[in-house]
Amino acid sequence: MIIWLASYPKSGNTWMRSFLISLMIKNKDGLKLKDLENIRQFPTKKQYVNLGINIDFNNFDEVSKYWNIVQSKINSDKKIRFFKTHNAFCKINENLFTNSKNTLGVIHIVRDPRNVISSVNNHYQHNSLEESKSFLFDKTKGISKDATGKIDIALPQVIGSWQTHYNSWKIIKKNYFLVKYESLINSPYDEFYKVAKYLENTIKIKFDDKQIKYAIEASSFEKLEELEKKEGFTESMIDKKKGKRRKFFFLGPKNNWKNLLDEKIVFSIEKEFQKEMKELGYI
């Protein structure tokens, strides 16, 4: 069955994947960015094609018809696996993104939208923060390309607004675990320890303090940033002007909305997402 790593774009999914892989997959040479391929995205074209499903892969309606069919086929080996997704827990034409038969649990990573906006702006190469704000506010938002722009890899995902995305996943009752990006920054050991304990309870694997500390250190922003410089990162965005890969690990913990946003942008975000931001303790 599947444990989802669900998040709105640019909210810490890659960091969480790095931690989980460092925790569960022992690599004597340390974490490599290619190791992140051990936790793949859903949905992708390859997952469909491997099952003989040939459809219009740019069509949200067509893709949604097979969400649970593909998941059921993948789960037929009875193994536990992780998938990252930016898809909201939504329904298209009665097609639910996942169901209780396919899902074992959800690790839901959430980030303050005032910090998400600048990361989205850099990642998607928007022309302004106003354009990025429209991205965050769009309740019907879908993305049809992955981070690298390779439409033949990632299939269309319905993400909605920051608000609708957060509210969609929090209704999951079975083995749901909420992680705040800011808590990972401020108290990494305490928070990642909770993630490890969640896994112990969900998949019945024990982790000792040494393993958890190692995984935290191996997946730190500084280590990931260093690895990207040495190895490059296939998930980084292609620069629209230069044609080269852009830096994926952009600001990380240094991304502080107080230093990057004007009052108008801050006010509009806090007004739009007031209920959810209060619920999460952001305001």
Side-chain angles (χ1 to χ4, degrees), residues 11-178:
S11 297
N13 207 306
T14 302
W15 190 10
M16 183 60 67
R17 279 192 294 154
S18 303
F19 169 75
L20 294 177
I21 289 168
S22 299
L23 184 67
M24 295 186 293
I25 300 174
K26 295 180 180 179
N27 186 337
K28 65 180 181 179
D29 297 321
L31 179 73
K32 304 294 183 185
L33 290 182
K34 65 179 181 180
D35 294 333
L36 296 184
E37 295 175 7
N38 286 292
I39 298 180
R40 296 186 178 277
Q41 180 168 291
F42 184 91
T44 65
K45 183 177 179 180
K46 184 177 181 180
Q47 292 158 347
Y48 281 53
V49 171
N50 282 350
L51 297 175
I53 300 171
N54 291 301
I55 57 173
D56 179 358
F57 291 109
N58 297 319
N59 187 305
F60 282 86
D61 292 340
E62 286 292 300
V63 170
S64 70
K65 287 180 184 178
Y66 294 92
W67 280 337
N68 277 285
I69 294 173
V70 173
Q71 290 171 35
S72 294
K73 292 288 187 180
I74 291 171
N75 281 330
S76 62
D77 61 7
K78 308 298 183 183
K79 293 181 180 179
I80 294 172
R81 51 178 46 82
F82 295 85
F83 278 127
K84 67 164 271 191
T85 192
H86 293 314
N87 215 101
F89 180 59
C90 64
K91 183 185 287 187
I92 297 180
N93 298 330
E94 301 305 313
N95 302 309
L96 196 61
F97 178 68
T98 188
N99 58 36
S100 59
K101 292 181 180 179
N102 287 315
T103 292
L104 177 61
V106 178
I107 298 176
H108 185 192
I109 309 113
V110 178
R111 188 181 189 185
D112 188 328
R114 294 169 297 187
N115 283 328
V116 170
I117 189 172
S118 52
S119 288
V120 161
N121 181 263
N122 175 72
H123 186 71
Y124 292 103
Q125 303 177 67
H126 291 160
N127 294 316
S128 67
L129 285 172
E130 283 293 333
E131 182 180 351
S132 299
K133 188 183 76 172
S134 296
F135 183 104
L136 265 68
F137 284 15
D138 187 349
K139 291 181 172 61
T140 62
K141 186 67 181 178
I143 50 176
S144 58
K145 296 182 181 180
D146 70 352
T148 59
K150 297 177 181 177
I151 201 165
D152 61 323
I153 294 179
L155 294 185
Q157 296 184 74
V158 182
I159 63 172
S161 68
W162 178 90
Q163 176 188 55
T164 54
H165 191 283
Y166 165 65
N167 286 326
S168 74
W169 280 104
K170 75 175 187 180
I171 67 172
I172 297 284
K173 301 300 181 185
K174 184 181 178 182
N175 296 325
Y176 172 83
F177 185 71
L178 176 68

Side-chain angles (χ1 to χ4, degrees), residues 248-268:
F248 184 89
F249 300 102
F250 178 47
L251 290 175
K254 296 178 182 178
N255 184 354
N256 188 334
W257 62 269
K258 295 178 181 178
N259 302 325
L260 299 170
L261 305 182
D262 61 38
E263 292 182 0
K264 183 181 177 182
I265 292 282
V266 172
F267 176 79
S268 58

